[in-house]
Amino acid sequence: MSNTEKSLILPIDEVLDLATRVLLHAGMAEPHAKAIARVITAGQRDDCQSHGLYRLLVTTHTLRQGKVSGTALPLINDHGPAIVKVDAQFAFSQLAFELGSEVLVKKAREVGIAALAINNCYHFSALWPEVESLAEQGLAALALTPSHAWVAPAGGTRPALGTNPLAFGWPRKGKNPYVFDFATSAAARGDLELHRRADKPIPLGWGVDSAGNATTDASAVVNGGAMLTFGGHKGSALSTMIELMAGPLIGDLTSLDSLALDAGVGGTPCHGELIIALDPAHLGLGDSAADDARAERLFSTITDQGARLPSQRRFEARARSQRDGVAIPRKLYSEVMSLLPAGQ
Ligand code: NDP
Ligand code: PYC
């Protein structure tokens, strides 16, 4: 891979360094800057454009608006054998996850199942880094979080739900884990925004305009319209479940509440996140080799017919980035550079 007219290539450590410098310059305390930069760099490295370096524009905007704390440190509350709660104190979620997940893993290994509830966090990131890191430690994991109420329920035309991602990770011996991570809306808001910025039409099915009509105009969806769920009533119900499980169940906000709190500033959503980790060593019947073999037979029956596993594209992009460097769209790169003082 080499530089082109549209994108330039940087080594991964330079991307990490750039992201960290931008966040520090924006006023973020070092532990937050480093935790956020790691996630943003992983996104760009794995060619997840909606949750890579682009997120530097959104996070620094949210910080400038005085919405999110750049300095408050997470408070960990060890809440009995299977629950750890982390109060992010209205800072971004990454550091809260990093610190809370250490306790989560310990509890899941002791009890067989454990939950990490993060409260009061600003949440902008993809969820796969979280379930992937838990799966790499031998645990199956689920992560869910609301966002802002941008999405209409199936059968409706007015926003009620967030883009509400759901991620799952499954450990595989000697292989990359099985990981999926998707918005329960037809597209992530980040993708809609990238289409709007590039003035590109969106596929039918992503959203409706303010009159409730199907549209291919991203701006019409953003300005008074609504996004749509994937899979009609099924995506709508899954999305509602995420609102409840990562909202009222853990004492936190729904996407409706989060959007109201934003008060038109256009910042990152603020709410909670729920992560559940399960240890196969406790839940199985003691023959982990047979269980692994059954899981692997399922995966190979999927891939042997030409279908791919979720995250395969991402893992391939990661291997490419590790070998050749990370591709960054030039327009995005210059926007990111404009967040630093000239000459830095
Ligand atoms: P995508 O639709 O791009 O991908 C969803 C998942 O499906 C990925 O795991 C992807 O793997 C996999 N996949 C895609 N195509 C195939 C295929 N043909 N066969 C098998 N698997 C496939 O994700 P979304 O646009 O819905 O979401 C993007 C990101 O946005 C997510 O990481 C999500 O966490 C994040 N997000 C965050 C929110 C927040 O509030 N924090 C809100 C909403 C979304 P692969 O990556 O390898 O293509
Ligand atoms: O892409 O839908 C999204 C999103 C919301 C918050 C962070 N990302």
Side-chain angles (χ1 to χ4, degrees), residues 7-152:
S7 60
L8 85 159
I9 311 294
L10 286 184
I12 297 175
D13 55 352
E14 281 186 31
V15 180
L16 182 64
D17 179 63
L18 172 63
T20 311
R21 282 189 291 124
V22 165
L23 292 162
L24 288 173
H25 177 70
M28 197 77 72
E30 189 166 313
H32 281 296
K34 287 186 163 170
I36 296 169
R38 278 192 280 276
V39 161
I40 284 176
T41 302
Q44 196 69 35
R45 177 202 66 196
D46 284 13
D47 190 17
C48 298
Q49 296 297 332
S50 64
H51 289 80
L53 284 187
Y54 164 62
R55 290 288 151 183
L56 287 174
L57 311 183
V58 187
T59 46
T60 52
H61 170 74
T62 309
L63 200 60
R64 274 198 304 275
Q65 297 302 317
K67 281 281 175 189
V68 61
S69 168
T71 53
L73 294 178
L75 300 175
I76 302 200
N77 171 6
D78 188 327
H79 198 76
I83 296 175
V84 51
K85 298 186 185 195
V86 182
D87 181 351
Q89 298 208 89
F90 300 98
F92 285 113
S93 65
Q94 284 67 35
L95 192 59
F97 174 79
E98 283 190 7
L99 299 176
S101 69
E102 288 172 19
V103 188
L104 176 75
V105 168
K106 203 163 150 284
K107 287 181 182 297
R109 290 203 179 122
E110 279 165 9
V111 179
I113 179 166
L116 163 60
I118 301 176
N119 289 115
N120 306 324
C121 67
Y122 280 80
H123 203 300
F124 68 83
S125 59
L127 299 185
W128 58 258
E130 302 180 353
V131 293
E132 191 178 304
S133 102
L134 294 168
E136 276 163 355
Q137 297 174 74
L139 302 170
L142 279 167
L144 34 153
T145 190
S147 63
H148 276 333
W150 290 308
V151 183

Side-chain angles (χ1 to χ4, degrees), residues 308-327:
R308 77 156 166 100
L309 297 182
S311 290
Q312 186 185 317
R313 177 202 65 82
R314 218 164 43 68
F315 290 134
E316 286 167 6
R318 182 180 306 179
R320 236 178 7 255
S321 296
Q322 283 164 342
R323 193 187 57 229
D324 303 335
V326 182

